[in-house]
Amino acid sequence: MRTLGFVGTAKNTGKTTAAVHVLELVRAAGLTTALTSIGFDGESTDHITGLPKPRYQAAPGMLVATADSLLDYGSADFDRTEPTGLQTILGEIVIARVSRPGTVALAGPNRRLDLRRLLDRLAAVQVDLTLVDGALNRLAALSLADGLVLSTGAAFDERIEVIAAHAAAMESLFHLPRSSDWTENAPSLVCLRQENGRLIQLSTSSVLDEGSLSSLLSQLTPGADAACFIPGVFSPTLFQTMVQKFPDRVAGKRFTFTSPVHLLASGKPEIWQSALETLSAAGGAAGYQAALPLCFLTVNPFFPRYLQKTGAYVAEYVDKQQLLHSVQARITRTPVVDILQPPHPDLLALCQITPKN
Amino acid sequence: MMKAMDRVVDAVDIETFLYCTSEDEAKELAEQLALELGLPHGDIVFLEFKAWGARVRIRSYIHHPGDHYRWMEKEHEA
Amino acid sequence: MKTVLLAPLDPVHDNAVKLLKRKLSEAGYDAHAMPPGTTPEEVIQRALTLKPAAILVSRTLGYKVAEILSQLVDLADAAGLRDATRIGVGGMAITREIGAELGFDGCFVGELKMNAVIDFIEGRSASQTARAFDEITREKPDITAGYTYRFFDPKIESYLNQITDQILSAAAGKTTDGIERAKIRSEMLEMDVATRDHRGSPETRGKLLARYITLCDSEIQAFYKDGRLPAGVRWLDRAEIDRVGELFPSGHEPFTPLRHNRPKPYFFSQYGTGCPIMDVYHIKVAEAWGIDGVFHFDPSWNAQREGLLEGYLTHEHDGTILTLENLSFIRSFLEPYTLWNVRGHRGLNTPETQVLGHAAGADLFKINIPYGSTAGGTDPQRLLVDGVYSLKLAAQYKIPFDIPGNDELSGVPPYKTFAGLLIMMSLGLRLGARPIPKPLLCYSPYMTIHGRMDDNMIDMNLAKLAVWRDIVDTPIWPGEPVGFMTHTPDRVQSALQTSLHASLAAAAGVDAVTIASSDEAYSKGPISVQARVDTLRAVRDQLRFQGSLQASLSPAAESIKAEIHEKITATLAAVAARGDFAASIYEGLLGSQDDGLYPGRVGAGTVRGE
C-alpha cells in the first residue's frame, strides 16, 4: 500500500483541492483507496473565515477512516464500519466503507503513533492507496507517508515573492540525501558516533533550547569527524547559531535527521535552508534516516481578506499566472502546478501510482 | 433550504435605541421597525424614553406554544 | 504521582494556568506551570525533561493562534513525546472541531470542569468519561431532609392543634365529586386503564370511565362522550411526540448548579407554556443552565371545571393541560435528578391532580387550602374537604408538599398569610405528610400602601424569612417567584430583581427558591426561552458575587420580625377561637375584603356526606 500525504503551508492554500483532484484521478485509475485526515475536515465553510471550502467526495467501495461521530456528517452512506480502538476528540476512529457516494467529514488519527496503527490496518485489508489529509502546521505524522503533495499560495502570504521563496526553501529540504550512518533501529535520544565507534548519548531527543544545544556542542570535537543523529526536532535558529558560531566544531560532522518533515516541523524552512548551506560551507553534511519524496507542489492564488468594518472575510486573489510562474521559476526539481489551471503533468506518475486499468 | 428563522424556538427579541423626541414617536418607530425587519406581529415588550431617545425591546413570536414548530422538522437537519 | 505541565502560550495571561496548577496540586498531581510568553519550543523542551502525563495549554483563539497551537502539537509529535504524553487545550473560542483539527488529544470547552481535566490526565477517553458520569449521577435532593418540624413557640403550636382538630372534624365523613374522581382515577391506574392507549381490559375502562363522566362538568363530558375538544385545544400527533425524543436524546450535560459554594438553596422555576413539547424544550434549557427543579402549571380553567381531560393535548394558552399522558411525557424528558412539582393546590381537581402527579412521578406537590379558597379560587368548604383528602394522599405517597403564600399579592399582610401556611403545615404534619412553607418575597400591595418597604426591600424580606426560625424547625422555600411585583418588562431590571431577591434568600440560609423568568411582568405573550436563561444567568453571577456571605438582621428587621411573630399568634388565636376554619376564611380572618381578598366561589355547595 502506498500512502500519500497532503500538506499546506497555511489554511486555505488549496490542500483539499489538490487532494480532491488526486482522488478523482485515482478513482479513474481503478485503485482501492482509503481516505483519512490527521486533523479535521468536513465543513462546507471554513470555521474561521466563513468562506466556502471544497469537500471530499467519496465513491462507493472507498474506505474512510474517521471519528464515529462524523459518519452522519456528510451525505455519503456506509455499509460496513469497523472500530479501530483509536480515539480522537470527536470519538473513536472507525474504518467505514462507502455504499452511497457523497461528501464525507474526516477526523482521523492525530499523532504519528496512531496513524501508523491505522495504516497497518488499512494495508491488511488490501487498500492500494491511502490519502492522508494534513492539517495546519502538522507535518510530523506525515513522515509515515511514501510521498507528499505540498500546497502553498496567497493565503500563506499575499506577496508572490515571499510565497515563492518560502516554497523554494521547503522544497530544498526534500533533497538532502538519505544517510547511511544510522540504521532503522536508530536510538531515541540525540546520539553522536565518533570515528572510533564510540557512541555518546544525550539525555534528550531534541534540541530546542540553549541548554540542550550546549550539551550537544560540548560533544562536538573540533577536527574530528563524527555522525550525529537527531531523532526529534532541532530548532533551526539554534542550528544556525551553531553552524555560524562554531564552524570548527561542525566541520566533518554528518547530521542525520529523521525525515524532511522533522525539519519542517521544527521551524522556518528559510532558516534551515540557509543554516544547511552554512553547514555545507563549513565542511559538515546533513541527511535523513528516511527520505520522503515531494511528489509535486501546488499553488493557489486565493486568499481570505478580513474586512474590519463588517468583521467578515471576502475571497480575493493574487495574479494566478504570475504566482504559478514565479514559483516555477524558483523550483526546478519538483513540478509546480495550479490545480485550477490545467493542463497538468501526469500527477499519478509523479506520485508513483500505477493505474490498475 | 433551512431558514434560520425556523430555528427560533419561540420569540425573536430586538433590542435597540431609537433617536426620537417623544415616547409616542418611539412607539411608532418601534412598530415601524418591526415591519421593516419583516417580523410578524411585532410587539413592544418594553420602551423607556428619556430626553434624547428611547431604549426599546420589540418581540415577535415565530412559534407560539401549540403551533407546529418548524425547528422540529427533520429536513432542517444538516 | 503524575506530572502535568501547564502552559499558557499567551504573551500576558496565565490566570487559567495558575488556577489549574492550584487545583491539580490539591488533587495530588505534580503540576508545573510555565510563565506567560513561553514559546512552543520551550514547552516541548521542558516536557522532554519532565516527561509529563499531560501537557495542558490554555489559550484564547485569535489571530495566528491556531498556528502556534498546531506548532506545539507538531513539535511534540516530531520530538517523540506523544507516545506517552497527552496534550489538551482549553480557552475562549476553542471548540472540539478546532481541537481535532489542531491535533490535540483533548479539548476543554466552556467553563473549567476539573473532573474532565482529571479524566483527561488519567487517560480516560471522552466516552469513558461520559459513562463514568452516568454512573455517578447527581442524587435527587430531599428538601425536607434533616428537619424535625418541632415547634419552638408553644402558644402557636397549641392554637394550630386546635385549628387542625376543627378542620379534620369539619372534613370527617364528607366527600366531593373531586375526591370520588380521584378514587376512580386511582382504580383506573391500578387496573392499567388510566390512559387512552391503555393495556388493560376495555370493559373495565368503560365501566370506570362511565362512572367518572357522571362526576364531570358538561364540557368534560362532551370530551369523553363525543370526543369534542375544548376551544383552542388540539391533539399532539404521534410524529410530533416521537420527534421530541430525537431532539432531546438521553444523556446530559454535567450538572452545573447555580450555587457557587453552598449546598443550598435549590432553585426552581415554573413551566406551563400550554404545549408539552415547548415545555420540554424550556425545561431542558433550564436544566442546562442549572435549575434544580420545575413546577407544572396547568391552565386556570383546569381548576374551575369538574374533571380532567386525557391524552396528549396542546393549546395556545397559558398553562399546560393536566393529563396523565402530558405529565408522563414531560417527566420522561427530565434529568433523573431534576425535582418535579405538580401543583394542585387550588382547584376542583385537587385530589385527582395528586393521583395523576404521583402516577407520573412527581417529587413534590403544592397544596394550600386558604390560598386556594380565595381570590377567584375554590369555595373554602369544598377545598377544605378536598385539601384534607389531598394531604392524606401526599402522606400515603410520601411526597412532600409545599405551601405557597401568594395571597400576599392580593394585599393580605404577611402575618395573615403566614398563619395560613402554619395551619397547612400543622394539618399536613398531623396527616403524616412533610410540609414546606413558602413565604413570598415580594413588593406586595400591603408593602406599598403601608410604606413598609419605602426605605429598603431587605429588612422586611429578611424578617419574613427569619420569623420562621423562631416558630418551627422547618425547611423554608421563598417563592413563588421571589421578587414578585418588583419586576417590569425591562429584562435587565427584571433579571436583576430576581437575582437580588434570590441571593438575599440564599444569604438568609433558605432551602429552596422559586425564581421567575425575565418575562415575569410581560403579559402579552408566553414566556420566551431566552427569558428563562436571563434570570438563571443573573442568579448564578449574583451567587458567585456573594459566595458564602450570611445575612444578619438589622435592628429594623428584628423589630419587623417580632411584629410579624406577634401578629401571627394573634391571627391564629382568632381562627382557633372562631372554631370553624371555613367560616374563618369566609369571614376574612386569614385575609379580609379590606385586605383585598375575597373567598372563592367555584364549587360552592358541592360537599356532601360520604
Side-chain angles (χ1 to χ4, degrees), chain C residues 268-532:
Chain C
F268 284 76
S269 65
Q270 62 88 11
Y271 68 87
T273 61
C275 172
I277 293 173
M278 191 62 98
D279 284 345
V280 167
Y281 208 135
H282 281 223
I283 292 167
K284 296 313 290 177
V285 169
E287 281 177 335
W289 262 266
I291 204 80
D292 293 286
V294 290
F295 286 92
H296 183 94
F297 265 49
D298 53 339
S300 53
W301 51 260
N302 248 10
Q304 292 156 0
R305 281 176 187 65
E306 301 273 11
L308 293 172
L309 305 175
E310 274 191 333
Y312 299 99
L313 295 171
T314 182
H315 69 159
E316 296 194 14
H317 302 287
D318 273 358
T320 300
I321 298 170
L322 201 146
T323 68
L324 183 56
E325 286 91 339
N326 276 357
L327 289 179
S328 304
F329 171 78
I330 292 166
R331 183 71 186 95
S332 70
F333 288 96
L334 262 59
E335 295 303 339
Y337 46 75
T338 300
L339 287 161
W340 188 44
N341 183 314
V342 176
R343 77 162 183 177
H345 65 290
R346 61 197 191 105
L348 297 177
N349 298 298
T350 297
E352 200 179 338
T353 300
Q354 323 303 328
V355 172
L356 294 183
H358 171 248
D363 303 298
L364 291 153
F365 289 151
K366 175 154 138 153
I367 309 167
N368 186 353
I369 297 170
Y371 173 42
S373 322
T374 49
T378 310
D379 168 66
Q381 194 75 47
R382 166 69 185 262
L383 199 56
L384 186 149
V385 175
D386 280 4
V388 167
Y389 186 84
S390 299
L391 289 174
K392 285 180 185 167
L393 289 176
Q396 181 194 325
Y397 299 148
K398 297 189 170 49
I399 295 178
F401 71 103
D402 61 70
I403 318 160
N406 285 31
D407 9 10
E408 277 200 57
L409 299 177
S410 307
V412 178
Y415 58 89
K416 284 192 184 176
T417 296
F418 289 8
L421 301 190
L422 281 162
I423 291 167
M424 284 305 296
M425 276 189 74
S426 171
L427 182 63
L429 287 167
R430 180 80 69 85
L431 294 169
R434 294 181 73 76
I436 311 168
K438 294 173 118 172
L440 180 67
L441 302 189
C442 60
Y443 190 41
S444 67
Y446 173 82
M447 303 299 162
T448 50
I449 292 165
H450 298 276
R452 300 303 301 261
M453 287 184 165
D454 281 0
D455 181 76
N456 68 74
M457 295 185 173
I458 294 176
D459 284 336
M460 172 59 79
N461 282 326
L462 274 185
K464 282 167 74 174
L465 297 176
V467 70
W468 289 88
R469 300 283 180 228
D470 292 348
I471 297 173
V472 57
D473 182 30
T474 177
I476 304 171
W477 178 350
E480 188 95 319
V482 290
F484 219 130
M485 299 180 105
T486 64
H487 303 113
T488 71
D490 175 355
R491 59 192 280 270
V492 177
Q493 186 275 346
S494 187
L496 178 64
Q497 280 293 351
T498 287
S499 68
L500 290 172
H501 282 82
S503 71
L504 183 70
V510 304
D511 299 275
V513 175
T514 304
I515 58 168
S517 74
S518 68
D519 273 345
E520 177 66 21
Y522 176 64
S523 56
K524 289 184 278 180
I527 290 170
S528 67
V529 71
Q530 62 265 35
R532 292 189 184 279

Side-chain angles (χ1 to χ4, degrees), chain B residues 9-11 13 15 43-46 55 57 59 61 63-69 71-74 77, chain C residues 234 240 243 246-247 273 275 278 281-282 314-316 489-491 519 522 524-526 528-530:
Chain B
V9 171
D10 38 32
D13 285 354
E15 287 187 342
D43 182 40
I44 299 168
V45 174
F46 166 75
R55 187 177 155 232
R57 181 154 62 114
R59 170 170 294 184
Y61 285 95
H63 293 107
H64 276 91
D67 283 353
H68 290 278
Y69 313 120
W71 42 261
M72 285 179 69
E73 288 170 16
K74 280 192 185 173
E77 286 180 351
Chain C
R234 76 168 174 92
E240 286 177 285
R243 181 72 181 129
E246 295 168 22
L247 291 173
T273 61
C275 172
M278 191 62 98
Y281 208 135
H282 281 223
T314 182
H315 69 159
E316 296 194 14
D490 175 355
R491 59 192 280 270
D519 273 345
Y522 176 64
K524 289 184 278 180
S528 67
V529 71
Q530 62 265 35

Side-chain angles (χ1 to χ4, degrees), chain A residues 72-114:
Chain A
D72 296 334
Y73 212 86
S75 59
D77 284 344
F78 305 94
D79 62 358
R80 224 181 338 174
T81 60
E82 188 195 328
T84 64
L86 303 171
Q87 293 292 335
T88 76
I89 290 179
L90 299 170
E92 184 184 349
I93 300 166
V94 294
I95 299 172
R97 196 176 70 174
V98 177
S99 58
R100 200 174 65 112
T103 54
V104 288
L106 299 174
N110 61 27
R111 51 180 191 158
R112 198 167 37 163
L113 184 69
D114 290 345

